[in-house]
Amino acid sequence: MPFLLSFLGGAIFTPFGEEILFRGVVANALNRYGVFAGVVLSSIIFGLVHGVSVILHCVYNAMNSIASAVGFAPMQ
């Protein structure tokens, strides 16, 4: 059951929610300044939000690798 809930949350609900947020809410709000602004600015915002997540993920993985290499237990 935990795997199923994790899978549904990570593979189904999160991407669907992001699409609603970035393509629905943000893009539509910016469309009042023109379609180009809606598409380009919502894409830039999407990239910035995910860029931060990618950087944090890399740092987290690096810290776990370093902790394992020096004999500490990985962070949970």
Side-chain angles (χ1 to χ4, degrees), residues 17-32 38 42:
E18 286 181 350
E19 285 298 316
I20 290 172
L21 176 65
F22 287 102
R23 306 288 184 239
V25 177
V26 175
N28 284 332
L30 294 171
N31 277 342
R32 71 176 126 183
S42 69

Side-chain angles (χ1 to χ4, degrees), residues 17-68:
E18 286 181 350
E19 285 298 316
I20 290 172
L21 176 65
F22 287 102
R23 306 288 184 239
V25 177
V26 175
N28 284 332
L30 294 171
N31 277 342
R32 71 176 126 183
Y33 303 108
V35 175
F36 182 79
V39 171
V40 171
L41 293 177
S42 69
S43 297
I44 290 170
I45 294 168
F46 182 86
L48 289 173
V49 168
H50 284 82
V52 171
S53 298
V54 170
I55 290 168
L56 290 175
H57 194 79
C58 291
V59 168
Y60 177 79
N61 288 346
M63 294 303 293
N64 278 322
S65 295
I66 292 167
S68 293

